[in-house]
């Protein structure tokens, strides 16, 4: 069976992963408005191609946080890759290494961060963090990340409350989650205790507390770049710049927590304008093609990150399947660049896209 589009990989996962794993990966918040907005936002922009240009040689490489990557496409942090493939995050990291792209490793990975780094010793790995309820645990995890050789810390700031979904109370879902290894947290929880309860008590939603001072705390504890993930407004972007973060990842958690949010692409231009080039701005959510990647770059993103498509590739054929997903996105991005008249990433600007409403006014 030959899969040629990201939609094909999604359908394969739906057909082969089983209802429970698909529910865990795909279920959005409440009515799914935010999830759908992430995807449909890309349909609101059309291309403005420039022709009669020499596009024989197209380069998709760029430097991000001091490291060269082959594509402006990385892996968003997603939990429990083991539900898609037995090698879980190890396989995903191996693919990121082979393709020379950035992988943000979820703090909720099944395998410990050290094992993931060993599985892909030459990969550019960024480690995702939450603001945990226990500062000592958070600091120990930070030291482990440094020793594992990660290149940046990605601090998720949009989950200070727990979204309780009805499917989470399903006994079959609980059975599925019991197979999750939570590799990073095993050392912090007594073996004779209720692991899930103790694990949940460490998470940010157990206190409902977060502040900008915690960004400063992370900066005081490590020299690694700090990327703040979950920014959705220009106002918060300005505050992040004032705190001297190294990057902003525009994200709404894949539409999994707060419903009725803007799609991330729609939020992107105001944030890019507010930041005014002081730090890199990245975006994730709803990206399903190389054309989508181009549109995000045109609206000011330094690069994009994808989540669910990586899981779909993993479900199809492990590290090879993830590589196939990346190959599709790369191929689509390159021919979109050629057909719009761009030969490198820096040439992609908002001159090459127009919002649909603007067309109707011409």
């Amino acid at each position: 069976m030959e899969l040629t589009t990201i939609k094909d990989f999604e359908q394969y996962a739906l057909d082969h992963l089983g209802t429970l794993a698909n529910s865990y990966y795909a279920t959005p918040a409440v009515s799914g408005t935010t999830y759908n907005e992430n995807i449909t936002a890309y349909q609101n922009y059309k291309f403005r191609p420039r022709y009669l240009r020499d596009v024989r040689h197209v380069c998709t490489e760029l430097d991000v946080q001091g490291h060269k990557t082959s594509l402006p496409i990385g892996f968003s942090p997603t939990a429990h890759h083991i539900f898609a493939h037995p090698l879980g995050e190890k396989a995903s990291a191996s693919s990121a290494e082979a393709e020379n792209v950035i992988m943000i490793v979820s703090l909720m990975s099944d395998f410990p961060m050290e094992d993931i780094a060993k599985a892909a010793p030459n990969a550019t790995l960024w480690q995702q963090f939450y603001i945990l309820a226990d500062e000592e645990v958070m600091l120990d995890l930070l030291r482990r990340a440094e020793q594992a050789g990660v290149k940046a810390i990605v601090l998720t700031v949009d989950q200070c409350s727990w979204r309780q979904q009805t499917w989470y109370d399903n006994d079959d879902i609980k059975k599925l989650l019991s197979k999750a290894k939570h590799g990073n947290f095993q050392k912090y929880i007594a073996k004779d205790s209720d692991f899930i309860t103790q694990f949940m008590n460490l998470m940010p939603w157990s206190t409902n507390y977060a502040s900008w001072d915690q960004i400063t705390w992370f900066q005081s504890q490590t020299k690694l770049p700090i990327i703040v993930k979950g920014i959705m407004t220009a106002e918060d972007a300005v505050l992040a710049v004032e705190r001297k973060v190294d990057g902003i990842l525009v994200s709404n958690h894949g539409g999994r927590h707060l419903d009725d949010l803007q799609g991330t692409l729609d939020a992107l231009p105001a944030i890019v304008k507010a930041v005014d080039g002081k730090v890199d701005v990245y975006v994730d959510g709803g990206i399903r093609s190389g054309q989508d990647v181009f549109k995000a770059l045109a609206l000011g993103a330094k690069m994009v990150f994808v989540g669910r498509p990586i899981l779909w590739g993993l479900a199809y054929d492990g590290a090879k399947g993830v590589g196939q997903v990346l190959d599709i996105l790369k191929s689509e991005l390159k021919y979109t660049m050629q057909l719009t008249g761009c030969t490198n990433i820096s040439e992609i600007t908002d001159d090459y896209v127009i919002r649909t409403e603007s067309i109707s006014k011409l």
Side-chain angles (χ1 to χ4, degrees):
M1 178 182 180
E2 185 179 4
L3 308 186
T4 59
T5 68
I6 303 304
K7 188 70 177 176
D8 290 342
F9 281 87
E10 180 181 15
Q11 190 60 55
Y12 181 91
L14 288 170
D15 292 341
H16 293 84
L17 272 185
T19 302
L20 296 179
N22 275 309
S23 291
Y24 178 79
Y25 287 147
T27 300
V30 196
S31 65
T33 301
T34 302
Y35 172 84
N36 291 325
E37 286 287 332
N38 280 348
I39 296 171
T40 59
Y42 284 89
Q43 299 168 17
N44 296 330
Y45 290 87
K46 306 303 178 185
F47 295 119
R48 298 184 67 249
R50 300 297 306 277
Y51 296 128
L52 298 176
R53 293 180 172 182
D54 183 354
V55 292
R56 288 174 294 178
H57 305 290
V58 172
C59 179
T60 60
E61 293 181 349
L62 73 163
D63 291 317
V64 181
Q65 300 295 336
H67 298 276
K68 187 176 289 295
T69 178
S70 68
L71 284 171
I73 305 167
F75 301 1
S76 281
T78 50
H80 306 315
H81 289 204
I82 203 170
F83 295 164
H85 190 275
L87 291 178
E89 296 85 8
K90 292 181 180 180
S92 303
S94 294
S95 183
E97 179 183 48
E99 300 289 339
N100 189 26
V101 297
I102 296 167
M103 175 179 176
I104 306 176
V105 181
S106 172
L107 196 63
M108 309 292 201
S109 60
D110 294 291
F111 294 98
M113 59 182 78
E114 296 89 348
D115 291 0
I116 298 167
K118 287 177 183 177
N122 296 312
T124 301
L125 303 179
W126 295 358
Q127 180 62 54
Q128 183 253 348
F129 265 77
Y130 290 106
I131 298 171
L132 301 180
D134 189 319
E135 192 174 282
E136 289 185 7
V137 171
M138 197 156 58
L139 182 58
D140 189 59
L141 284 163
L142 186 56
R143 293 290 171 260
R144 289 171 57 190
E146 290 173 330
Q147 291 169 10
V150 306
K151 305 304 182 186
I153 300 299
V154 179
L155 187 58
T156 296
V157 298
D158 63 354
Q159 201 174 14
C160 60
S161 183
W162 173 246
R163 172 189 62 88
Q164 190 73 36
Q165 279 280 30
T166 53
W167 62 262
Y168 184 78
D169 288 327
N170 182 293
D171 288 340
D172 289 332
I173 285 289
K174 288 183 177 179
K175 191 178 295 184
L176 175 71
L177 290 174
S178 71
K179 297 178 182 178
K181 297 180 179 181
H182 295 289
N184 289 320
F185 291 91
Q186 295 292 338
K187 67 177 286 190
Y188 308 117
I189 297 173
K191 293 182 179 180
D192 58 351
S193 66
D194 180 342
F195 182 90
I196 293 297
T197 298
Q198 294 301 310
F199 170 75
M200 295 293 275
N201 287 340
L202 284 172
M203 293 297 106
W205 51 81
S206 68
T207 63
N208 303 131
Y209 174 76
S211 81
W212 287 98
D213 288 341
Q214 288 163 314
I215 305 293
T216 303
W217 181 87
F218 269 89
Q219 292 168 323
S220 72
Q221 298 297 330
T222 184
K223 293 182 179 179
L224 290 172
I226 303 293
I227 316 298
V228 178
K229 176 180 180 288
I231 299 298
M232 285 292 292
T233 64
E235 294 89 339
D236 276 349
V238 169
L239 291 173
V241 170
E242 289 176 353
R243 291 283 173 160
K244 301 188 186 308
V245 303
D246 298 284
I248 291 170
L249 176 47
V250 180
S251 176
N252 55 32
H253 224 101
R256 287 174 69 85
H257 290 288
L258 181 60
D259 213 12
D260 290 324
L261 278 172
Q262 276 185 302
T264 50
L265 188 73
D266 285 333
L268 178 63
I271 291 172
V272 169
K273 182 178 180 180
V275 166
D276 194 26
K278 295 181 178 69
V279 299
D280 286 352
V281 178
Y282 318 117
V283 67
D284 72 4
I287 295 158
R288 299 292 184 267
S289 69
Q291 293 93 320
D292 292 345
V293 175
F294 185 99
K295 290 175 184 180
L297 299 179
L299 293 179
K302 174 83 171 185
M303 67 175 292
V304 307
F305 290 87
V306 294
R308 290 179 178 93
I310 300 306
L311 297 170
W312 301 333
L314 194 62
Y316 178 65
D317 194 15
K320 289 183 180 179
V322 175
Q324 287 177 260
V325 165
L326 283 173
D327 286 344
I328 289 170
L329 293 173
K330 180 177 182 178
S331 175
E332 292 175 343
L333 173 61
K334 287 186 73 172
Y335 76 63
T336 302
M337 290 173 67
Q338 289 175 314
L339 289 173
T340 54
C342 299
T343 58
N344 61 67
I345 300 303
S346 64
E347 292 177 359
I348 303 173
T349 68
D350 60 3
D351 289 336
Y352 293 93
V353 294
I354 186 168
R355 193 171 172 85
T356 307
E357 301 94 80
S358 301
I359 296 175
S360 64
K361 296 176 182 178
L362 294 178

